[in-house]
């Protein structure tokens, strides 16, 4: 599919999450054609993906270090820089790049096939759970408490518990008691 065909597909797609993932897949494709790495979906869109749209986000958060290459690609597909966001009014999509790289180089990633030659990378579910648990504990965010529990309940048997326990035990996270409680609840 060429760029215009993908843009047309994005416009015609009803599901907000699928429209957002198609947009990331197009950006990834265009970056790869320039010999660049692809960005990683983080934040609300990653949560929307794993919860199958139980959670909705209005924007796309990406982790990407080569801002110059990304800016060039976004400009090519009619995104405009507005404050901290890149916005395409026609597609009704906003993108933010809050971090350059993921903190952990070995962070698990999910590769999602959206269509022919269209795929995107999404932050692994374990890191997303840790992120939501941190928001729950430290920011007292009730929705993040609920989302962490939902993810553990839905994916409990598939999770890499060793990785989760390692991440939860890091001093910056300090989440072992909370993780133990969620694990016990998922096994009940």
């Amino acid at each position: 599919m060429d760029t215009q065909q993908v843009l047309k597909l994005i416009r015609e797609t009803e599901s907000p999450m699928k429209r957002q993932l198609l947009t990331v897949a197009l950006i990834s494709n265009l970056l790869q054609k320039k010999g660049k790495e692809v960005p990683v979906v983080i934040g609300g869109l990653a949560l929307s993906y794993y919860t199958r749209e139980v959670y909705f986000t209005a924007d796309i958060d990406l982790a990407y270090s080569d801002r110059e290459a990304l800016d060039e690609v976004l400009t090519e597909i009619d995104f405009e820089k507005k404050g901290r966001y890149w916005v395409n009014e026609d597609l009704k999509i906003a993108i933010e790049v809050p971090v350059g790289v993921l903190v952990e180089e070995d962070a698990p990633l999910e590769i999602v096939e959206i269509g022919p030659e269209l795929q995107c990378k999404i932050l692994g579910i374990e890191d997303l759970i840790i992120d939501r648990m941190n928001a729950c504990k430290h920011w007292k965010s009730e929705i993040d408490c609920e989302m962490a529990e939902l993810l553990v309940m839905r994916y409990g048997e598939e999770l890499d518990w060793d990785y989760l326990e390692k991440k939860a035990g890091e001093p910056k996270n300090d989440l072992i008691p909370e993780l133990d409680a969620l694990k016990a609840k998922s096994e009940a």
Side-chain angles (χ1 to χ4, degrees):
M1 258 188 221
D2 73 13
T3 300
Q4 292 308 313
Q5 289 173 312
V6 178
L7 289 169
K8 182 177 186 286
L9 180 59
I10 294 167
R11 283 185 206 95
E12 294 171 351
T13 299
E14 286 188 38
S15 161
M17 181 189 70
K18 184 149 188 194
R19 293 175 75 251
Q20 291 168 328
L21 291 175
L22 280 166
T23 301
V24 175
L26 174 60
I27 292 164
S28 298
N29 186 290
L30 293 171
L31 285 165
Q32 283 180 313
K33 286 180 180 175
K34 295 176 182 291
K36 304 291 183 178
E37 290 292 316
V38 300
V40 177
V41 173
I42 59 175
L45 181 54
L47 185 57
S48 182
Y49 169 75
Y50 288 114
T51 63
R52 302 298 184 245
E53 295 184 271
V54 166
Y55 179 86
F56 170 77
T57 184
D59 70 337
I60 299 168
D61 294 320
L62 299 175
Y64 198 68
S65 60
D66 190 342
R67 299 291 174 100
E68 190 176 316
L70 182 61
D71 293 356
E72 185 180 313
V73 163
L74 290 170
T75 301
E76 286 174 17
I77 54 175
D78 298 326
F79 277 81
E80 292 179 40
K81 185 82 168 146
K82 294 186 178 183
R84 66 181 202 224
Y85 291 96
W86 281 91
V87 178
N88 183 310
E89 298 289 347
D90 178 47
L91 299 177
K92 295 177 179 59
I93 291 191
I95 298 173
E96 182 182 12
V97 187
V99 294
V101 293
L102 297 175
V103 177
E104 305 291 329
E105 289 296 319
D106 65 341
L109 300 173
E110 176 96 2
I111 308 295
V112 179
E113 299 287 334
I114 310 293
E117 298 178 35
L118 291 172
Q119 65 179 25
C120 56
K121 287 185 182 178
I122 299 180
L123 180 69
I125 191 168
E126 291 84 2
D127 283 307
L128 185 62
I129 290 168
I130 294 294
D131 179 63
R132 297 300 137 165
M133 289 177 68
N134 271 316
C136 173
K137 180 176 182 175
H138 303 293
W139 302 338
K140 309 293 185 231
S141 169
E142 193 60 39
I143 188 72
D144 287 303
C145 298
E146 292 170 12
M147 291 298 110
E149 183 176 335
L150 173 74
L151 292 170
V152 169
M153 297 303 283
R154 181 173 286 174
Y155 296 99
E157 292 181 11
E158 301 166 40
L159 296 174
D160 181 342
W161 286 101
D162 291 336
Y163 180 84
L164 266 170
E165 288 165 6
K166 178 184 110 180
K167 296 293 288 185
E170 291 176 358
K172 67 180 179 186
N173 296 323
D174 189 29
L175 296 166
I176 292 293
E178 292 83 359
L179 182 64
D180 287 346
L182 281 177
K183 186 176 184 181
K185 198 171 194 176
S186 76
E187 293 172 345

